[in-house]
Amino acid sequence: MRVIGTVQGVGFRPFVYRLASELDLAGYVLNDDRGVLAEAEGPAAAVESFLARLSSEAPPLASVEQVSPEELAPTGGVGFEIAASERGGSPLALVSPDVATCPACLSEIADPGNRRYRYPFTNCTDCGPRFTIVRDVPYDRPLTTMAGFEMCVRCRAEYEDPSDRRFHAQPNACPDCGPRLALLDRGGERMGSDDPLAAAARALHGGAVLAIKGLGGYHLACRADHAGATAALRSRKHREDKPFALMAADLPAARSLVALSAEEERLLVGRERPIVIARRRLDAPVADAVAPGSPDLGVMLPYTPLHHLLLAQARATLVMTSGNVSDEPIAYDDGDALDRLGQIADLVLTHDRPIHVRADDSVVRSLGSLRPAPLTLRRSRGYAPASIALPAEAARPLLACGAELKSTFCLAHGARAWVSHHIGDLKNYETLRSFEQGVEHFQRLFAVTPEVVAHDLHPDYLSTGYALAREGVETIGVQHHHAHLAACLAEHGELGPAVGAIYDGTGYGTDGTVWGGELLCGDLAGSERAGWLAPVPMPGGERAVLEPWRMACSWLVAAGEQRPALPRALSQTVAPERWEQVAALARSGFASPSTSSMGRLFDAVSALCGLRATVTYEGQAAIELEAAAGPAPGADPYPLAVREAAGGLTLDARETVRAVVRDVAGGASTALVSGRFHAAVAVATAQACARIAEARGIDLVVLSGGVFNNRLLVERTVPLLEARGLRVLLPELLPAGDGGISYGQAAAAAARLARR
Ligand code: ZN
Ligand code: ZN
Ligand code: FE
């Protein structure tokens, strides 16, 4: 029988071996390029039972997608063996994501009598590094970054014993033969400590900033409750406001930081171990610099033995932020890490097991009672490169190059797509290189040689440039917001038709203008624009993204004030001359491309409330506007008209903006203004979607685009749509933001190929 799915590196062969031995069957099992191949010989009933239990009793990390049996003549063999891996042919074997340390390994490292007591690289077939150490397939030790470590006699015996938990655990290691820690000073000199872990924990406890090599890259860490250390980390990292993620020792420690629902606790302890964004407790023991002004904290639990040991010994919750300077990619190469992080960290805790693929921590946010699945803000370590199904099969192997800012890429063939880990902002040269290397790596791992390459319509995206520069392939352009729609449809196995409310910051429209508040109508293959947020100028173009006060000014001009007075809420942050210059730009349209972006409307309102005149990271103004609303329910919506226009519906937010200004001037709380604004967008969105759906006889609505990372907006909008009898899909497996674009491009391109 041939077994296809995630069946390598997950203890599948020993499981088959034990099953066959129990049933007294003869034969063999082996890994090859397509997955697992096995032959079993014995009484018919035993073979039947073997086949059935192959799927039903598979090990926890395995995902059996298909078992295809074939009948062979008996050979009279005796005994069952695990045979050597075979290479050749077309690999379909799936590389598993990295997996958090399992309970059995945890109890070993806590047991002073165990030979792995306090060993930070302990792992087994149920847990440990996978994707981040794989250099090539099949998944076997020589093709991982463990190749340089020769197993000692005892590790080898475990590795070769089919009854052992570490049978064929490729990264198997122990203190005698495996990777070792080293503590370095910022110059890279080894500190003379025989227990680097204890020394690092002591330094952390005392308030030092450490660079720590983890699973998919380096983190920068310090005590979360230490005002001096957190402030030093923030200034040295040049990160002004964006909240730092925290790592808590265990669930009780996490509960002291954030109020956790049962669902959020389940996410925290899951084997993917993402960062979970949850409501900060008022008495949370964290310094101000951790998450300035944020009502939420991002918390994760340890996911490697190193983290478990370090957290236990440091006796404190730690900041665990990506090891980089501002927007650069996270450091994962040792030499590079020292160069870049030596400036920031006091000490570097590193080790000698190389990281092959950089993978950032994933980030999720629960939707409470609204949906069982959380919003995925970043899908990376722990999730990538697990495959995601495609509802319309890709008839030819294809590559989708994604967007630009929160970029991912996606390979697809047949019914399966592999979305990459989070790559980041391609405008950074280092990131662009890792994009290119990542594509090549995935092509090898999943044996997909693209014949078709899908890309965004934006001519200046570096991902578009990459797509168009690939030789000998057919290219397919997919409009940005359609890709958002297609991604959400496809992950739910839907082909459409659907109405999509796709709201984000920026996307290139088919008319060459900047879109971002779109009501689309269509299916997986294509859609048309059925409505939009009535556009306003973006004074100064891209600068308006970093300076939301420009959008506030533009919206005031659009709302009918030829010479809008500088609002009192902005008078501390914006010089009157600049305000007037920007108003002039908005009036004339000079150097001010027109945009229908919903993200920019959120920016404008945030600025009008005096929350954010300028931002230091993407989405900050909208995030703080959402946070300001607080958890309080039911604010009265501002007016936001849905009008009939040539070619579709328009959402006219001018009256909304006037109402915001009136309320702010009248002394209304920011919580109230924000709540009323969110309600207005929700009501208008539901009205507009319902009108389009009714006119076209559609009952399905998709909400996506980065603006829908806003939980308050989702919570307001979904019930309104459902109350009108519409079915609502939200992105779950993939981000609503641009991290989901590559998969949407792949789904759309596959559907177009199928249509031909
Ligand atoms: Zn384990
Ligand atoms: Zn060993
Ligand atoms: Fe987008």
Side-chain angles (χ1 to χ4, degrees):
M1 58 231 58
R2 144 101 27 233
V3 186
I4 288 178
T6 305
V7 289
Q8 292 190 0
V10 292
F12 200 80
R13 287 173 303 170
F15 153 70
V16 173
Y17 174 89
R18 284 192 294 270
L19 189 59
S21 308
E22 186 193 319
L23 294 166
D24 220 5
L25 297 169
Y28 67 87
V29 59
L30 58 79
N31 271 355
D32 65 8
D33 287 341
R34 300 187 56 206
V36 161
L37 187 69
E39 264 185 51
E41 176 171 346
V47 174
E48 283 299 319
S49 160
F50 178 75
L51 270 174
R53 291 169 67 184
L54 218 46
S55 323
S56 66
E57 293 176 20
L61 299 184
S63 153
V64 176
E65 292 179 5
Q66 204 187 339
V67 180
S68 329
E70 185 184 328
E71 230 167 285
L72 302 175
T75 62
V78 283
F80 198 90
E81 62 160 8
I82 295 180
S85 298
E86 280 178 3
R87 293 220 67 186
S90 116
L92 263 178
L94 305 183
V95 175
S96 141
D98 302 284
V99 182
T101 312
C102 75
C105 286
L106 273 184
S107 61
E108 287 176 338
I109 63 171
D111 172 8
N114 191 286
R115 71 192 191 92
R116 290 191 173 85
Y117 178 56
R118 294 189 71 240
Y119 182 56
F121 304 96
T122 302
N123 66 84
C124 73
T125 43
D126 293 337
C127 75
R130 296 287 187 278
F131 173 57
T132 52
I133 62 164
V134 171
R135 292 198 159 116
D136 208 342
V137 280
Y139 176 64
D140 263 336
R141 189 168 175 116
L143 297 176
T144 71
T145 64
M146 284 297 290
F149 298 92
E150 191 167 346
M151 275 185 267
C152 68
V153 175
R154 284 200 283 181
C155 286
R156 169 68 57 189
E158 294 166 339
Y159 183 87
E160 289 173 352
D161 175 1
S163 68
D164 194 280
R165 200 173 95 247
R166 298 202 161 86
F167 177 74
H168 281 225
Q170 305 305 343
N172 187 28
C174 79
D176 292 336
C177 65
R180 286 175 197 207
L181 288 176
L183 187 63
L184 313 178
D185 67 16
R186 57 191 348 175
E189 289 302 315
R190 205 174 265 264
M191 309 282 283
S193 165
D194 50 357
D195 191 343
L197 186 76
R202 267 197 309 276
L204 283 166
H205 192 82
V209 173
L210 264 72
I212 298 170
K213 184 174 178 181
L215 201 50
Y218 279 76
H219 281 118
L220 287 161
C222 70
R223 273 178 73 149
D225 60 355
H226 198 291
T230 50
L233 176 54
R234 204 167 265 294
S235 78
R236 292 184 211 164
K237 200 172 138 74
H238 301 299
R239 178 143 151 169
E240 290 164 56
D241 305 302
K242 196 173 182 183
F244 288 142
L246 303 177
M247 187 180 274
D250 48 26
L251 209 43
R255 289 188 189 120
S256 75
L257 300 164
V258 282
L260 291 168
S261 65
E263 172 60 19
E264 286 162 334
E265 294 198 352
R266 197 191 58 74
L267 290 166
L268 270 176
V269 301
R271 66 182 187 227
E272 297 89 358
R273 290 289 155 107
I275 295 169
V276 178
I277 311 268
R279 183 70 45 168
R280 176 207 290 246
R281 291 176 59 108
L282 290 176
D283 57 354
V286 297
D288 291 341
V290 168
S294 169
D296 295 332
L297 291 173
V299 180
M300 64 182 145
L301 295 180
Y303 51 85
T304 70
L306 172 60
H307 295 133
H308 281 282
L309 294 164
L310 199 61
L311 267 287
Q313 274 196 277
R315 288 174 290 126
T317 291
L318 299 179
V319 165
M320 273 286 173
T321 184
S322 37
N324 55 12
V325 180
S326 66
D327 293 330
E328 291 175 2
I330 179 171
Y332 72 112
D333 172 81
D334 297 325
D336 172 56
L338 209 58
D339 286 349
R340 285 161 54 195
L341 306 181
Q343 321 290 321
I344 303 175
D346 301 308
L347 296 167
V348 180
L349 182 62
T350 185
H351 60 75
D352 53 359
R353 184 183 72 204
I355 297 171
H356 188 67
V357 177
R358 162 196 294 138
D360 296 75
D361 294 316
S362 297
V363 186
V364 301
R365 188 181 193 193
S366 166
L367 280 175
S369 57
L370 192 67
R371 284 286 188 279
L375 294 170
T376 298
L377 304 184
R378 182 163 69 207
R379 179 185 180 274
S380 205
R381 178 198 43 81
Y383 297 90
S387 71
I388 301 176
L390 280 178
E393 296 200 7
R396 292 158 68 197
L398 64 88
L399 164 70
C401 296
E404 180 159 274
L405 200 52
K406 298 200 162 159
S407 89
T408 59
F409 60 84
C410 173
L411 283 179
H413 196 196
R416 216 182 337 239
W418 295 273
V419 180
S420 76
H421 48 299
H422 167 81
I423 307 273
D425 181 358
L426 296 184
K427 272 186 239 142
N428 179 300
Y429 174 71
E430 195 42 41
T431 314
L432 181 62
R433 247 191 36 195
S434 71
F435 173 90
E436 294 165 354
Q437 290 165 350
V439 170
E440 278 172 39
H441 186 50
F442 268 59
Q443 287 182 198
R444 263 200 319 279
L445 287 190
F446 303 110
V448 176
T449 306
E451 294 172 11
V452 178
V453 177
H455 59 84
D456 199 275
L457 295 183
H458 200 307
D460 302 330
Y461 274 2
L462 291 167
S463 56
T464 306
Y466 174 86
L468 298 179
R470 290 222 17 164
E471 286 178 10
V473 295
E474 179 191 349
T475 56
I476 296 183
V478 180
Q479 197 276 326
H480 188 90
H481 302 94
H482 177 69
H484 277 304
L485 170 66
C488 186
L489 282 174
E491 73 153 281
H492 290 281
E494 300 274 354
L495 301 167
V499 177
I502 311 296
Y503 298 165
D504 64 2
T506 303
Y508 195 81
T510 52
D511 59 2
T513 70
V514 183
W515 290 9
E518 309 310 310
L519 299 164
L520 304 180
C521 184
D523 59 14
L524 213 47
S527 59
E528 57 185 77
R529 200 180 192 204
W532 55 89
L533 178 67
V536 297
M538 253 166 87
E542 286 290 297
R543 292 190 65 178
V545 178
L546 296 175
E547 300 178 2
W549 67 266
R550 289 171 180 260
M551 292 312 299
C553 184
S554 180
W555 269 103
L556 288 179
V557 172
E561 298 189 40
Q562 282 302 300
R563 296 186 180 280
L566 177 60
R568 196 142 29 103
L570 291 170
S571 60
Q572 298 300 309
T573 38
V574 180
E577 320 80 74
R578 297 192 65 208
W579 177 263
E580 269 163 37
Q581 287 161 4
V582 164
L585 285 182
R587 274 194 307 274
S588 68
F590 177 74
S592 305
S594 149
T595 184
S596 58
S597 167
M598 185 63 82
R600 298 289 89 82
L601 175 61
F602 273 75
D603 284 358
V605 173
S606 186
L608 289 171
C609 289
L611 278 175
R612 271 289 142 202
T614 59
V615 298
T616 60
Y617 64 92
E618 195 208 359
Q620 184 180 13
I623 288 168
E624 295 187 6
L625 184 63
E626 179 195 354
D636 224 14
Y638 288 127
L640 202 169
V642 179
R643 300 185 201 286
E644 220 51 75
L649 299 177
T650 61
L651 305 183
D652 182 350
R654 287 176 300 181
E655 185 54 38
T656 323
V657 168
R658 285 192 284 264
V660 167
V661 172
R662 261 198 312 277
D663 262 3
V664 173
S669 72
T670 305
L672 179 70
V673 175
S674 173
R676 297 188 70 184
F677 172 69
H678 278 82
V681 175
V683 168
T685 301
Q687 274 175 6
C689 288
R691 266 161 76 170
I692 297 165
E694 195 185 358
R696 317 214 180 189
I698 293 171
D699 66 351
L700 186 61
V701 173
V702 165
L703 303 179
S704 192
V707 168
F708 283 105
N709 283 334
N710 182 322
R711 181 166 58 191
L712 178 60
L713 181 63
V714 172
E715 285 171 347
R716 285 287 148 86
T717 312
V718 171
L720 295 175
L721 287 162
E722 288 178 343
R724 293 165 186 261
L726 295 162
R727 210 151 55 84
V728 183
L729 299 180
L730 299 170
E732 292 175 0
L733 298 175
L734 290 158
D738 284 1
I741 286 287
S742 64
Y743 173 70
Q745 292 169 345
R752 284 185 208 169
L753 290 176
R755 185 163 289 183
R756 282 182 196 165

